[in-house]
Amino acid sequence: MGANSSSIAELANNSYLQRLAGTETISENDPFWNQLLSFSFTTPTNGADTQLLEEATLSICKSLIENNSRTENLQALVKIFLSRTNELKISAECQDQLFIWQAHNALFIIRCLLKVFVSQMPEEELQLNFSYQERAPLSYGAEAEDLLEELICNLVHLIIELPLLDITYSILLESVTTLLVLLSYQLFQKEIIRESLIYKHLMKGQCHQHTSRIVKTLLYNFIRQEKCPPRGTQIFEQTSEGSGLLYGLASGVASGLWTVLTLGGVGSKAAQQGDLSSPLANRSLLLLLVLSNLSNGPESPNPYRQSIMSFKNTQDNTAIQSPNSYCFQINFNSLYTALYEQQKSDQATLLLYTLLHQNPNVRTYVLARTDVENLVLPILETLYCVEERNSHHVYMALIILLILTEEDSFNRSVHEVVLKNITWYAERVLTEISLGSLLVLVVIRTVQYNMTRTRDKYLHTNCLAALANMSAQFRSLHQYAAQRIISLFALLSKKHNKVLEQATQSLRGPVSAEENLPTPDYAQDLNVIEEVIRMMLEIINSCLSTSLHHNPNLVYALLYKRDLFEQFRTHPSFQDVMQNLDMVISFFSLRLEQAGTDLSVERVLEVIKQGAVALPKDKLKKFPELKFKYVEEEQPEEFFVPYIWSLAYNSTAELYWNPQQVQLFTMDSG
């Protein structure tokens, strides 16, 4: 690096980097620093290029690790960067691109070095490499500075204070990425980190006072979804040949700055998928998720999580009088729009889950929206495209639906929204269907997929819990949705009979000649399937006992497949819940017999509608209302921390490490 553009292949032999990592102590006032930081370099935008960069500079990094305890050149570089951050805001206001460019280059080098340091040494050793002794004249014997906390606080301060402009985009992005790199110690640990020096600096040190502002800024970065500045933007025009530092700086800016600024942005085919539209928005969201899931201290809760839980709408006047130091205001309308527009990404789905589950203000706002279909449709599409999504994303989408269906107002409103032409639903052409019926279809499809593929009991339970929450408010169910409810019951019935037959055969004797094979626990399998069957019967019963007259299509489907329920009438596990179904089937079967034979579908539905009015409501046995609430596990970080870091690892080139080094999650499932 230095006053000219650099390529990856040249870095190992770069004289400036070799001097930085060498045995010579470099004074902060040495002109070397201006020369070092006057480079243009195309920053890698994918894991493969990042790996090439690390391989090319590994020898330099190892030399620095070996020599830095004596030279303190890393600390000097950090001091150079810190001295410039104080003037960055003024530089942005004055459009001083040159100053910002050099500050960005300093941070870029620091981040690249930190990435190697983090993977090579524990936090305690990293701390020693940030202990700095003043080298100025007459400063002998002065107390050593701790530059690690100062760097972290300056990065936080830079993120919240520096305005987001074309000329500041790259350094803001680099600041967020550097914080992620510092926090990435977690990647190299199998267990969740509970105590950390870096966590302490972020949650208890000088950064603590900026908690609400950093959360607000990161949220607004996500909301704004600012794209990278366009490639080819020229800041300095090269007017003549020249040499020396000034020309090196100007030509470096002209040829390379905006290449650096397009990290994974527009025009970069090699970019990671998660960074294609807005790398700053993506990484800001990742940093926010990482910060909010840091472990609580024994006596002090995570301040970032507290801030996530308490912020309010800008239109909420009570927020101003709030005594909560973590509270701030943000535009909920803009946040809502960003959330539904970005729901195809795991990160946005995880943020939506976090806000709905932990922030009552956001939850109340979302449930009060009259355009809830904008939010629900992309969630349903995620569930529908289950084969293309990772299991964690599907799980989070399902939990969001479960949280929403806890509210009766939501369950009523989804049946009032009529949708036209759902193009992504391939099993059947849906020219017109209510959002509620579509939700039923997609959740049932998820159950059926899970039965044949993943066989996750927990996924089953949550799917059926969402349907159960909705069942009392089913209104005008689409005929296809009604059919799929009964079809799911038929599938469960068939599975029940198969397991029952296998259990009966196992009691008669071994079915296999290999006596050493473990015997399947058919009793447990039968118990699980019967639990699911009972829940399905309760869902159907709940709809019939509360809104039968609103759902003629469900009664029609029930009558069409009445034989399915015959075997469960006398089953001790289902007798109580079968009473209402028996009565409904008998009542409407009799009315259809009285109406004659060879009835058309239209005539059958007409008889059902007339019968629904005539059916005495007191004949249906009342059962307790079906209500299921989502309860987070006792140690949610055991799930969320590996999940978030797997997203960061897979979507951010700068967080690429050799998979053999990563301990937190298995790369196959990451």
Side-chain angles (χ1 to χ4, degrees):
M1 296 187 175
N4 297 306
S5 297
S6 303
S7 67
I8 290 179
E10 299 169 343
L11 292 180
N13 298 316
N14 185 283
S15 59
Y16 294 96
L17 293 179
Q18 288 179 337
R19 185 180 174 191
L20 174 68
T23 57
E24 174 192 353
T25 297
I26 307 171
S27 167
E28 294 173 46
N29 300 319
D30 196 304
F32 163 82
W33 297 110
N34 276 333
Q35 296 167 346
L36 173 71
L37 302 180
S38 302
F39 67 87
S40 60
F41 184 78
T42 305
T43 304
T45 55
N46 57 55
D49 287 347
T50 302
Q51 187 176 8
L52 290 175
L53 171 62
E54 291 186 8
E55 289 173 352
T57 57
L58 186 59
S59 60
I60 289 174
C61 292
K62 287 184 175 180
S63 295
L64 183 63
I65 291 174
E66 182 180 344
N67 297 321
N68 192 64
S69 60
R70 296 184 300 275
T71 66
E72 296 190 349
N73 286 341
L74 173 62
Q75 293 93 313
L77 174 60
V78 172
K79 288 285 286 185
I80 295 294
F81 169 72
L82 293 176
S83 67
R84 297 180 182 228
T85 57
N86 298 326
E87 302 176 40
L88 280 176
K89 189 173 182 179
I90 297 175
S91 299
E93 293 171 354
C94 300
Q95 294 287 303
D96 188 349
Q97 298 99 328
L98 187 61
F99 191 90
I100 296 171
W101 173 57
Q102 282 201 315
H104 166 270
N105 285 352
L107 186 56
F108 170 71
I109 296 174
I110 291 169
R111 190 255 300 166
C112 290
L113 294 172
L114 275 175
K115 189 166 182 289
V116 178
F117 275 54
V118 165
S119 65
Q120 298 286 330
M121 63 181 65
E123 274 190 332
E124 294 76 11
E125 190 174 341
L126 180 69
Q127 173 90 24
L128 292 175
N129 278 279
F130 274 82
S131 179
Y132 182 71
Q133 187 73 44
E134 182 64 47
R135 297 168 181 166
L138 305 178
S139 63
Y140 180 77
E143 185 177 347
E145 293 181 72
D146 176 13
L147 293 181
L148 183 58
E149 182 175 11
E150 192 174 349
L151 174 63
I152 292 172
C153 290
N154 267 267
L155 292 174
V156 168
H157 193 262
L158 193 154
I159 292 169
I160 62 180
E161 290 290 347
L162 196 61
L164 178 53
L165 308 169
D166 277 3
I167 60 173
T168 61
Y169 192 102
S170 70
I171 195 165
L172 286 169
L173 177 62
E174 199 63 59
S175 300
V176 172
T177 307
T178 303
L179 285 176
L180 281 170
V181 168
L182 277 168
L183 288 161
S184 62
Y185 267 108
Q186 179 64 78
L187 279 171
F188 306 101
Q189 302 292 324
K190 290 183 178 180
E191 304 297 327
I192 305 301
I193 295 176
R194 305 291 176 183
E195 294 185 12
S196 158
L197 183 65
I198 293 169
Y199 292 5
K200 180 181 177 182
H201 290 328
L202 282 165
M203 295 200 289
K204 294 183 179 179
Q206 301 173 39
C207 297
H208 183 271
Q209 62 182 311
H210 301 305
T211 296
S212 61
R213 293 188 66 194
I214 188 68
V215 171
K216 182 176 182 178
T217 301
L218 294 174
L219 273 175
Y220 266 126
N221 286 349
F222 166 70
I223 289 170
R224 292 175 67 175
Q225 292 291 318
E226 289 285 347
K227 293 179 171 58
C228 294
R231 292 186 69 128
T233 303
Q234 301 289 311
I235 298 179
F236 294 101
E237 295 295 337
Q238 182 176 343
T239 56
S240 61
E241 293 185 2
S243 59
L245 178 60
L246 183 59
Y247 170 72
L249 294 173
S251 64
V253 172
S255 65
L257 176 59
W258 296 106
T259 303
V260 172
L261 294 193
T262 55
L263 297 168
V266 178
S268 175
K269 294 182 180 179
Q272 294 288 329
Q273 187 65 33
D275 272 357
L276 280 177
S277 57
S278 174
L280 180 61
N282 178 58
R283 292 180 213 177
S284 293
L285 180 51
L286 286 170
L287 179 58
L288 179 62
L289 292 171
V290 169
L291 290 174
S292 63
N293 282 277
L294 296 179
S295 296
N296 288 317
E299 297 180 356
S300 56
N302 180 333
Y304 302 98
R305 188 176 305 160
Q306 296 294 308
S307 190
I308 283 282
M309 293 168 63
S310 59
F311 72 83
K312 299 185 177 184
N313 194 355
T314 49
Q315 297 179 354
D316 186 350
N317 295 327
T318 62
I320 301 173
Q321 288 82 31
S322 173
N324 188 342
S325 61
Y326 303 121
C327 189
F328 61 89
Q329 290 177 292
I330 203 167
N331 188 310
F332 276 17
N333 182 59
S334 300
L335 176 61
Y336 181 81
T337 302
L339 283 169
Y340 74 70
E341 286 182 347
Q342 302 300 320
Q343 271 308 297
K344 287 188 177 181
S345 78
D346 289 66
Q347 296 93 303
T349 301
L350 186 49
L351 175 63
L352 176 59
Y353 159 80
T354 302
L355 296 178
L356 288 176
H357 179 56
Q358 298 184 359
N359 190 314
N361 305 312
V362 173
R363 180 170 176 166
T364 301
Y365 177 85
V366 168
L367 290 168
R369 293 283 303 205
T370 57
D371 60 343
V372 70
E373 67 273 14
N374 288 335
L375 188 66
V376 174
L377 276 173
I379 295 170
L380 293 181
E381 188 174 357
T382 295
L383 288 174
Y384 184 83
C385 302
V386 59
E387 295 180 351
E388 302 171 12
R389 302 287 193 263
N390 70 68
S391 58
H392 287 355
H393 195 182
V394 171
Y395 174 76
M396 295 314 305
L398 184 57
I399 295 302
I400 288 170
L401 288 185
L402 179 56
I403 292 173
L404 293 173
T405 59
E406 291 173 10
E407 299 294 330
D408 288 343
S409 59
F410 172 83
N411 297 328
R412 286 190 296 269
S413 66
V414 290
H415 291 288
E416 297 168 0
V417 178
V418 178
L419 306 169
K420 306 278 188 180
N421 300 317
I422 308 302
T423 55
W424 46 263
Y425 195 94
E427 277 85 350
R428 179 165 175 161
V429 177
L430 300 175
T431 55
E432 186 172 293
I433 188 172
S434 72
L435 178 60
S437 291
L438 181 63
L439 198 159
V440 170
L441 282 174
V442 172
V443 171
I444 287 176
R445 184 179 183 274
T446 305
V447 174
Q448 292 177 324
Y449 176 86
N450 185 52
M451 286 177 65
T452 57
R453 305 289 181 89
T454 57
R455 300 182 181 181
D456 182 346
K457 179 186 174 182
Y458 199 54
L459 193 66
H460 264 8
T461 303
N462 285 295
C463 284
L464 295 177
L467 289 177
N469 286 345
M470 296 178 65
S471 58
Q473 275 83 36
F474 282 166
R475 294 291 185 274
S476 303
L477 277 178
H478 191 280
Q479 60 179 5
Y480 186 51
Q483 290 171 16
R484 298 311 296 165
I485 290 174
I486 305 303
S487 295
L488 175 57
F489 185 83
L491 184 62
L492 292 167
S493 176
K494 183 178 179 181
K495 189 174 182 64
H496 177 269
N497 293 339
K498 182 179 179 181
V499 174
L500 188 60
E501 182 182 349
Q502 290 172 334
T504 304
Q505 288 180 353
S506 69
L507 292 175
R508 293 172 183 165
V511 294
S512 173
E514 299 182 39
E515 297 181 1
N516 293 329
L517 288 177
T519 303
D521 190 346
Y522 293 116
Q524 182 179 357
D525 291 347
L526 201 60
N527 182 57
V528 170
I529 195 70
E530 287 182 356
E531 284 181 7
V532 177
I533 286 175
R534 180 174 177 86
M535 201 163 179
M536 278 301 300
L537 288 171
E538 289 180 343
I539 289 168
I540 297 171
N541 178 72
S542 173
C543 176
L544 294 178
S545 60
T546 57
S547 55
L548 181 148
H549 58 292
H550 288 301
N551 293 287
N553 285 325
L554 182 60
V555 177
Y556 183 100
L558 188 67
L559 293 172
Y560 191 75
K561 293 286 187 180
R562 71 190 80 175
D563 294 343
L564 278 174
F565 300 89
E566 189 66 31
Q567 63 176 309
F568 300 107
R569 292 178 63 186
T570 58
H571 195 293
S573 298
F574 311 121
Q575 278 182 322
D576 59 337
V577 77
M578 278 297 299
Q579 290 180 26
N580 284 344
L581 273 71
D582 262 349
M583 202 279 292
V584 169
I585 290 172
S586 300
F587 178 83
F588 284 98
S589 295
L590 179 59
R591 294 186 72 91
L592 288 174
E593 288 176 11
Q594 295 171 346
T597 58
D598 298 327
L599 301 177
S600 65
V601 173
E602 291 76 14
R603 176 57 182 153
V604 172
L605 286 171
E606 184 182 344
V607 172
I608 290 172
K609 291 175 183 177
Q610 293 170 353
V613 176
L615 177 66
K617 301 296 184 291
D618 57 355
K619 282 194 174 184
L620 294 176
K621 182 181 177 181
K622 297 298 181 184
F623 286 86
E625 184 182 7
L626 294 178
K627 258 324 170 192
F628 294 88
K629 286 190 175 291
Y630 169 68
V631 179
E632 196 171 67
E633 296 181 14
E634 290 185 5
Q635 292 185 314
E637 64 272 12
E638 297 291 339
F639 170 82
F640 289 111
V641 171
Y643 180 27
I644 293 165
W645 278 109
S646 71
L647 297 178
Y649 182 91
N650 288 316
S651 69
T652 308
E654 287 78 1
L655 292 178
Y656 176 85
W657 272 275
N658 186 328
Q660 295 178 350
Q661 292 179 279
V662 177
Q663 299 293 318
L664 181 61
F665 50 83
T666 59
M667 300 311 301
D668 291 338
S669 63

